[in-house]
Amino acid sequence: MKKIFILFFILIGLSSCVKDEVFEGPATIASVTYLPKTVTSEDAVTVTAIVTDLIGVQNVKLNYSVDAEKFSLDMKLSAKNTYTAIIPAQKGQAKVEFTVSAINSSNITTTSKAQTYKVENANEVPAVIESITIDPKTVTSKDDVKVTSIIKDAKGITSVTLTYTIKNVGTTIPMQLGAKDTYSAIIPKQADNTNVEFYITVINVNNIKTKSKEQAYTVGVTPIDYTKIVLNEIDGNSKSVELYNNGTETLSLAGLKLLKNNTEWWTGTADSGVIKPGEYIVVIQKNPNNPNLSGNAGISAKQALKFELTDPNNASLGIFLRGDEANLGGTISDTAPNSYQRIPNADGEWKLATPTIGGKNAKTGDAIPQK
């Protein structure tokens, strides 16, 4: 009989433990994105949220304010765990702030981090110059140089010109449209040691002007090959970014840039030193020990994140992107304590692994979650 009573109390205890583990919430809002990324006064904005809950979701709302006036919309289930709602078009210069809130079956509410966008006047949005390249990359005195650019504008483009300067004398020539959104022009051959600077100007149908960053090349001088410098590891735990020299030449860090979410995060100077073959250089957020290897704030293991490494001529040397580019900085799943690494080291795909910052990357890793 004593054994029966003991068993009875054990079962009651186990039942109590199971009850304590019952999930009540809150729901998880895995990601919140909006489109279009550039919003004009003619655009309604579609907000999409991924919401999950083990015991069910009662209601998902989009809460937004326009210049402090508040509104709320029910979000509709459009696909599995995917909810959408549309913010109507707003007047130009309006500031829109929004959050998503979800109520689960236990009546527990969770709310996403606030996001904002500014509405541009439809007639004031400039064209976008997406890329500029030259051919050949190593220019001799026998070479005409073809400058090619991808340029986009939803309303249309009136003119695209290339301005190049030699010994303080500028020449402007029209660029011709070839394939879709692709414009090109030819800079004539020049003598050895001639420095040629150039930029592109675009005017769209609303007479809005866009000017590119200035680029340059020197005739007869072999440009420094920065392509062996690798964006190799990004660690949201130590708030650091690792560069690796996968080549055979020692290169200066001067002029190299790290862009975080399309904004300059760090720029190398002569005081930043050099990176030797096989060497790892670590740039740390708000580095207290070395201001020449110190990046701005903002690296997180639970946010949509983009990093790009560029050379002194603004050519891209590598890009890391986690999440939706339309929602950079938005909260998504937490990947701590792991970091993002190229696996195999230097030339592999981006993977998730135990941090190795300042040294050779892990041999194996896992896929990086994008939500």
Side-chain angles (χ1 to χ4, degrees):
M1 181 65 71
K2 184 182 291 186
K3 291 182 179 179
I4 294 174
F5 276 118
I6 292 172
L7 180 60
F8 175 73
F9 284 116
I10 289 174
L11 290 174
I12 290 175
L14 288 174
S15 174
S16 174
C17 290
V18 171
K19 185 176 181 180
D20 288 343
E21 294 298 322
V22 172
F23 177 85
E24 291 188 351
T28 298
I29 302 176
S31 69
V32 179
T33 59
Y34 69 91
L35 288 174
K37 188 175 180 182
T38 300
V39 183
T40 76
S41 53
E42 296 180 351
D43 297 320
V45 173
T46 300
V47 178
T48 303
I50 308 296
V51 183
T52 58
D53 191 277
L54 292 177
I55 60 175
V57 176
Q58 278 194 56
N59 181 263
V60 180
K61 284 188 176 293
L62 171 64
N63 310 297
Y64 70 97
S65 62
V66 182
D67 297 331
E69 186 177 359
K70 296 181 178 181
F71 304 88
S72 184
L73 298 171
D74 287 326
M75 300 189 75
K76 296 181 179 179
L77 184 64
S78 57
K80 184 179 180 181
N81 301 326
T82 304
Y83 295 80
T84 59
I86 296 175
I87 299 175
Q90 306 293 329
K91 65 182 180 181
Q93 305 307 308
K95 179 182 178 182
V96 180
E97 181 174 291
F98 66 91
T99 62
V100 172
S101 60
I103 303 174
N104 71 359
S105 297
S106 297
N107 271 336
I108 298 175
T109 301
T110 187
T111 302
S112 70
K113 180 181 177 181
Q115 296 188 49
T116 61
Y117 61 85
K118 184 179 179 181
V119 180
E120 305 287 348
N121 290 316
N123 295 329
E124 295 180 2
V125 178
V128 176
I129 301 174
E130 291 194 348
S131 65
I132 301 174
T133 58
I134 66 169
D135 184 37
K137 290 185 177 181
T138 301
V139 182
T140 74
S141 57
K142 298 179 180 180
D143 297 320
D144 291 331
V145 175
K146 183 178 183 180
V147 180
T148 303
S149 181
I150 296 176
I151 304 170
K152 296 182 179 180
D153 189 288
K155 298 293 183 179
I157 293 172
T158 301
S159 71
V160 181
T161 57
L162 172 68
T163 299
Y164 62 93
T165 302
I166 300 170
K167 296 180 180 179
N168 297 319
V169 177
T171 302
T172 299
I173 57 176
M175 299 188 74
Q176 304 300 321
L177 178 63
K180 183 180 179 182
D181 302 324
T182 303
Y183 294 79
S184 62
I186 302 293
I187 299 176
K189 62 189 69 172
Q190 306 292 329
D192 279 340
N193 298 314
T194 301
N195 186 62
V196 181
E197 300 174 342
F198 65 93
Y199 63 86
I200 293 171
T201 304
V202 184
I203 299 177
N204 68 8
V205 295
N206 292 316
N207 207 35
I208 305 297
K209 181 186 290 187
T210 306
K211 180 181 174 182
S212 73
K213 292 181 181 179
E214 195 167 85
Q215 299 193 29
Y217 62 88
T218 301
V219 180
V221 175
T222 302
I224 298 173
D225 182 10
Y226 290 94
T227 59
K228 295 299 182 180
I229 298 183
V230 179
L231 178 61
N232 203 43
E233 183 174 358
I234 300 166
D235 184 13
N237 305 285
S238 61
K239 312 295 184 185
S240 56
V241 177
E242 176 190 276
L243 307 181
Y244 174 66
N245 187 345
N246 199 31
T248 58
E249 302 290 332
T250 296
L251 297 174
S252 171
L253 295 173
L256 293 179
K257 291 181 182 178
L258 285 168
L259 307 178
K260 172 188 166 283
N261 296 348
N262 300 316
T263 300
E264 189 173 312
W265 187 78
W266 168 80
T267 299
T269 66
D271 291 332
S272 301
V274 298
I275 182 168
K276 299 176 182 178
E279 185 179 14
Y280 299 87
I281 293 291
V282 179
V283 183
I284 302 173
Q285 175 178 304
K286 302 294 184 182
N287 191 338
N289 300 316
N290 188 347
N292 299 305
L293 294 175
S294 178
N296 294 324
I299 302 180
S300 172
K302 54 184 178 182
Q303 289 184 346
L305 179 67
K306 179 181 179 182
F307 259 100
E308 181 175 13
L309 174 65
T310 64
D311 72 12
N313 292 317
N314 297 314
S316 181
L317 298 174
I319 294 175
F320 168 82
L321 176 63
R322 181 188 176 220
D324 190 336
E325 190 159 3
N327 187 40
L328 294 176
T331 300
I332 54 178
S333 58
D334 192 350
T335 57
N338 295 311
S339 69
Y340 314 123
Q341 305 175 27
R342 287 194 179 276
I343 298 176
N345 189 62
D347 57 8
E349 300 294 325
W350 286 101
K351 299 287 185 180
L352 199 64
T354 301
T356 61
I357 206 78
K360 188 174 182 179
N361 290 348
K363 293 183 179 180
T364 60
D366 298 319
I368 298 173
Q370 298 299 311
K371 296 180 181 179

